[in-house]
Amino acid sequence: MIQDKLKKIYYGRQIHDNDLKKILCIRYTMTWRCNFKCASCNIWNNESLPHDDINSKDIDKFAKSVLLKDINEIILSGGEPILRDDFPDIILSLHRNFSKAKFSITLNGYNPERAHNFFKRIKDEAPDLEWDLIGISLNGPKEVHDKSRGVKGSFENAVKTAELLKEFSPCVHFSFTFLKENVDYFDWVCDFAKQKGLGVHICWTVMNDRFSTNEKDLVFQNNPDLVPVLERYSDVDQIKESGNIHKDYITYKQIIKKAYLYDSIINKRVMPCHAAKTFFHLAPNGDIFPCNFDLSEDRIMGNIKISDFDTIWKNAPKGLDQDIKSGTCMYPNGVCGDSDINRSICQVDTPVLKWYINKRKTNNRLIQK
C-alpha cells in the first residue's frame, strides 16, 4: 500500500517535472560596477556607468507583464549592488510590483554604514518585505580574505556589515568562495560565523568572460580532498537509511538534493536546468538572458528598455531551449552556479531520485569523486 502510494507520488512528480512553465524567479544583476579587485574576478574592469543601468521606472514598466504574476523569488547581485545610489528605490519598486517575492542578495560588505542606511530605509518604507538571505562575502581570516578581495580592510568591514544587517533578516550568511589559496579555511569561516550567530553558504569559482579563472582554479573538480567538506556541508550524515529507498528520499529530500548538486558538480554531470523557463537573468542594462553565467550575445533574448517582456519571452532565439536542455553551457565553466542550477534541482524530483536509487543500489557514497 505504502509502496503504491510512493509510486503514485513519483509518477505525479515526473509529470510535474516535464511541465514547468510558470516564471517563478528573477535573477537581477543590479550593476557591473565593483569597488573590489578579487583574485577570481575581472568584473571591476567593466566600464559601465550609472546611466547605463535600468532604473525604477524601467522596472515598473517591465513588471506589468502578466507572465511575471507568479514571481516569488528575486535574487540580487552585482558587481556591488550598494554602489547604486538608487539601491533602495530599485528594491522598493521590485517589492511594490512583486509583493509575493522574497529577496536574496550578496554584498561585499565594504561600506557597513551605507548598507545599513539603505536597508533601514527599505524596512521603514516596506516593513513587509522579506529578506530570505543576505550574504556577505568572506573568504577566510583577515589576511586571506583581504588578499583574495584585493582591498585592505575588507575583512573588518565585512564582519561589521554582517552584524549590522542581522537587524533586517534572520538569515545573514558569510558567502565563502572556494579558491586555490583558501581551501583550508572553510571550516574556520564556519566556526567564526557560529560565534557571530551567522550562517555560511558556499560559492565557487567559475569560468566565463567576467572571471579571471582557468581550469586549474576549479577546486571542486580538481581537489578530491574537498569531498568531506561537501559531505559535512550537505548534512549527508543525517540520513538514516531504512529498507525503503522511496520513503528515505521523501524524508531526506532536501539533503539528498544538495548531495546530488555537489556530486554532479565535482563529476561534471549535466543537471536539469530551467533557465528561460522558470527563471531568467536581468542584466544591469536591461538585457534578458536565460541565466547569469553564459552571457554571450547570441543568448540575449531582448532588452526591457526596447521591448515589453511578453514580446521578449515569446520571441526567444531559436534553439535556445534545446541548447539549455543539452547542458553544453554548464562545463567547462566549472559549474553554471548554484544560485541557478540549484533552483532547477529544487523544482524537480525524478532525475534526483534516479540518481539516489542508483547510489543506494550500488552502495556508493552520495558525494564522491
Side-chain angles (χ1 to χ4, degrees), residues 101-265:
K102 293 183 179 181
F103 288 71
S104 299
I105 194 167
T106 302
L107 308 171
N108 65 28
Y110 192 70
N111 196 324
E113 289 75 20
R114 181 178 173 91
H116 182 269
N117 291 339
F118 280 170
F119 276 78
K120 186 176 186 307
R121 184 190 151 195
I122 293 166
K123 184 177 182 179
D124 289 344
E125 296 189 28
D128 60 328
L129 185 152
E130 289 188 50
W131 289 101
D132 201 39
L133 174 68
I134 299 176
I136 310 297
S137 299
L138 195 75
N139 285 354
K142 174 178 166 50
E143 295 77 12
V144 175
H145 178 76
D146 285 7
K147 183 177 180 181
S148 72
R149 295 292 169 177
V151 176
K152 290 183 178 180
S154 57
F155 177 86
E156 290 90 346
N157 287 327
V159 174
K160 184 176 180 181
T161 299
E163 292 181 320
L164 286 174
L165 297 188
K166 283 197 291 185
E167 175 185 344
F168 307 106
S169 172
C171 197
V172 178
H173 283 194
F174 287 131
S175 178
F176 184 93
T177 301
F178 269 104
L179 308 167
K180 288 185 297 184
E181 298 79 13
N182 75 340
V183 292
D184 296 326
Y185 292 101
F186 180 68
D187 286 339
W188 184 94
V189 171
C190 289
D191 291 340
F192 183 71
K194 189 174 182 180
Q195 294 171 25
K196 298 289 183 180
L198 303 168
V200 176
H201 65 260
I202 291 176
C203 293
W204 33 60
T205 311
V206 296
M207 293 166 57
N208 66 26
D209 58 359
R210 288 174 292 143
F211 298 91
S212 56
T213 57
N214 57 47
E215 190 85 28
K216 293 180 181 178
D217 295 307
L218 303 177
V219 294
F220 278 98
Q221 282 88 1
N222 300 327
N223 191 342
D225 292 339
L226 283 178
V227 169
V229 174
L230 298 177
E231 287 182 322
R232 290 198 302 275
Y233 181 68
S234 303
D235 293 322
V236 294
D237 62 331
Q238 292 184 20
I239 297 175
K240 308 299 180 187
E241 294 181 1
S242 71
N244 190 317
I245 296 176
H246 290 81
K247 182 180 178 182
D248 291 347
Y249 175 76
I250 292 171
T251 303
Y252 300 105
K253 185 188 293 187
Q254 297 311 312
I255 296 174
I256 291 168
K257 287 192 173 188
K258 189 178 284 189
Y260 168 82
L261 171 68
Y262 285 109
D263 187 62
S264 298
I265 289 170

Side-chain angles (χ1 to χ4, degrees), residues 13 16-18 20 22-25 72-73 257 273-275 277-279 340-352:
R13 293 302 302 181
H16 170 271
D17 292 353
N18 293 324
L20 292 167
K22 291 181 180 179
I23 305 172
L24 302 174
C25 173
N72 59 26
E73 183 180 20
K257 287 192 173 188
C273 179
H274 303 139
K277 201 169 184 180
T278 66
F279 65 90
D340 285 345
I341 199 68
N342 192 34
R343 182 151 295 94
S344 296
I345 291 168
C346 287
Q347 293 171 345
V348 298
D349 283 321
T350 48
V352 186

